């Protein structure tokens, strides 16, 4: 038997209903905020991620699924969505109309060590908002995430925020971190030893060395921000207060991707096993670093898989309305034509309808109607067809009623 690849899983049954519910809710929230849907390819040139996400990030150096195609070109299966969307904006000149507010969803691929909440095929729901460098935009994007989680039933969502400033600030901060960690780097894990010169900021969120005293006593990036960056961060926090959003500043939050500037944030819940349930930030230099125009942007991505794991761990049940409206139950084969025609009419009117197409016996048909949790079962026999009167069973009250064929749609409209 061929088995699934480690770190992937199949989505079916109740899980597929949950995914569907969450995706639809996310779409509804994005539409409320006037975002448009964008879809970009799963495969891109490897260079996009090297230049966009960063040479010194784990995602690019250790986790990408790379392959050389039959034409000898280096391609990568996308590890995240932001870089591909940036490429699309440049290539299709979408930046000619700003602001550009986009939402997306889809699978991403990272060769990470699979564990609870960490998959090799992960699904993200995300937004990217281009065209404003105003702190109010950062706050609105964060509020979108918070509102989505609240609507899902995750009320105690924690927003962790930080500012990592711009390129100049990070250069200075980098030097400060290197001299802070240098003296004792031998006591750190191999990854941190590698990071000290390449990307010392990532030492701050190392999972292995998180209890090391030097991490706790490391200088804070917030004291390296220039006045403009400080002011931006203060305003973001002020707007979050206006929006009544609880946040916590964590000056060690640096995020794992190189494109961020100023505001970075993560969404967390009290279930910490899965890491962050979403994260994002401002990335004003991404477009220009990919030879595009200089346009500021802010966005986030939420992990759909982790959202489901978190809902399960918190015992939150989604209101999955998977019941059908009507099940058509024919007594013999002779009523099949009539039932097929009626099913079509009802479906065209927007009702969720099913009927037995595999010639089951009556008992099995009633069972199937129950399994689909149908609100009404319409029984169709010889007598019903002759008199054009249908027998309708309300499966909640168990009451049966006769309804004229012509009055059926009205009946269903008022009772569903
Ligand atoms: P990220 O923090 O790498 O950011 O991923 C965002 C979210 O995807 C995480 O918070 C987590 O919920 C989920 N996630 C990441 N890796 C895994 C995994 N291996 N298994 C399950 N879930 C995972 C980004 O990807 C940025 N592109 C976000 C962004 C958009 N920033 C600006 N715009």
């Amino acid at each position: 038997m061929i088995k699934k690849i480690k770190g992937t899983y199949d989505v079916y049954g109740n899980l597929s209903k949950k995914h569907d519910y969450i995706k639809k809710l996310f779409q509804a929230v994005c539409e409320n905020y006037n975002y448009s849907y964008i879809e970009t390819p799963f495969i891109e040139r490897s260079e996009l991620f090297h230049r966009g996400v960063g040479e010194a990030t784990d995602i690019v150096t250790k986790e990408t699924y790379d392959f050389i195609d039959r034409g000898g070109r280096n391609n990568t299966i996308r590890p995240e969505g932001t870089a591909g969307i940036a490429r699309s904006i440049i290539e299709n000149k979408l930046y000619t109309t700003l602001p550009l507010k986009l939402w997306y969803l889809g699978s991403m691929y990272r060769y990470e060590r699979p564990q609870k909440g960490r998959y090799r095929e992960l699904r993200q729901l995300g937004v990217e908002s281009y065209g404003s460098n105003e702190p109010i935009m950062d706050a609105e994007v964060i509020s979108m995430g918070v509102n989505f989680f609240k609507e899902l039933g995750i009320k105690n969502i924690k927003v962790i925020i930080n500012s990592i400033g711009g390129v100049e600030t990070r250069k200075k901060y980098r030097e400060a971190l290197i001299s802070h960690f240098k003296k004792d780097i031998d006591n750190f894990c191999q990854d941190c030893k590698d990071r000290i010169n390449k990307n010392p900021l990532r030492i701050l969120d190392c999972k292995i060395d998180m209890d090391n005293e030097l991490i706790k006593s490391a200088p804070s990036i917030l004291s390296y921000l220039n006045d403009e960056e400080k002011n931006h961060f203060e305003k973001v926090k002020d707007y979050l207060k206006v929006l009544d959003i609880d946040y916590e500043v964590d000056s060690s939050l640096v995020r794992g991707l190189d494109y961020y500037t100023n505001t970075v944030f993560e969404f967390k819940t009290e279930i910490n096993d899965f890491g962050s349930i979403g994260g994002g930030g401002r990335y004003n230099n991404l477009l220009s670093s990919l030879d595009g125009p200089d346009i500021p942007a802010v966005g986030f991505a939420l992990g759909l898989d982790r959202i489901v794991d978190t809902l399960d761990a918190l015992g939150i049940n989604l209101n999955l309305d998977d019941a059908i409206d009507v099940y058509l139950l024919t007594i013999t084969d002779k009523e099949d034509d009539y039932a097929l025609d009626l099913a079509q009419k009802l479906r065209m009117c927007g009702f969720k309808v099913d009927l037995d197409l595999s010639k089951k016996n009556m008992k099995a048909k009633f069972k199937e109607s129950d399994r689909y949790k149908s609100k009404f079962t319409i029984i169709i026999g010889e007598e019903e067809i002759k008199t054009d009167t249908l027998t309708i069973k309300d499966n909640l009250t168990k009451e049966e009623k006769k309804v004229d064929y012509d009055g059926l749609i009205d009946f269903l409209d008022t009772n569903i």
Side-chain angles (χ1 to χ4, degrees), residues 245-260:
I245 291 172
D246 273 338
Y247 64 83
E248 200 181 295
V249 175
D250 177 356
S251 62
S252 68
L253 178 70
V254 292
R255 310 260 310 123
L257 306 102
D258 271 359
Y259 47 59
Y260 291 114

Side-chain angles (χ1 to χ4, degrees), residues 40 44 48-49 52-53 80-89 128 130 259 286 290:
T40 59
E44 297 276 1
L48 172 69
F49 300 108
V53 176
E80 58 101 57
T82 311
I85 292 175
R87 192 243 344 112
S88 172
I89 290 173
E128 312 293 357
Y130 280 82
Y259 47 59
L286 178 60
L290 296 171

Side-chain angles (χ1 to χ4, degrees), residues 84 88 92 118 127 143 146 159 163 166 192 213 253 277 280 296 301 349 355 399 406:
S88 172
N92 300 303
R118 194 171 293 281
V127 301
S143 81
V146 171
V159 179
S163 173
C192 285
E213 274 310 313
L253 178 70
I277 194 169
C349 291
L355 70 168
E399 255 176 77
D406 290 342

Side-chain angles (χ1 to χ4, degrees), residues 401-413:
K401 241 191 186 147
K402 296 268 185 205
V403 174
D404 280 352
Y405 184 92
D406 290 342
L408 180 63
I409 308 272
D410 276 352
F411 174 87
L412 293 175
D413 267 338

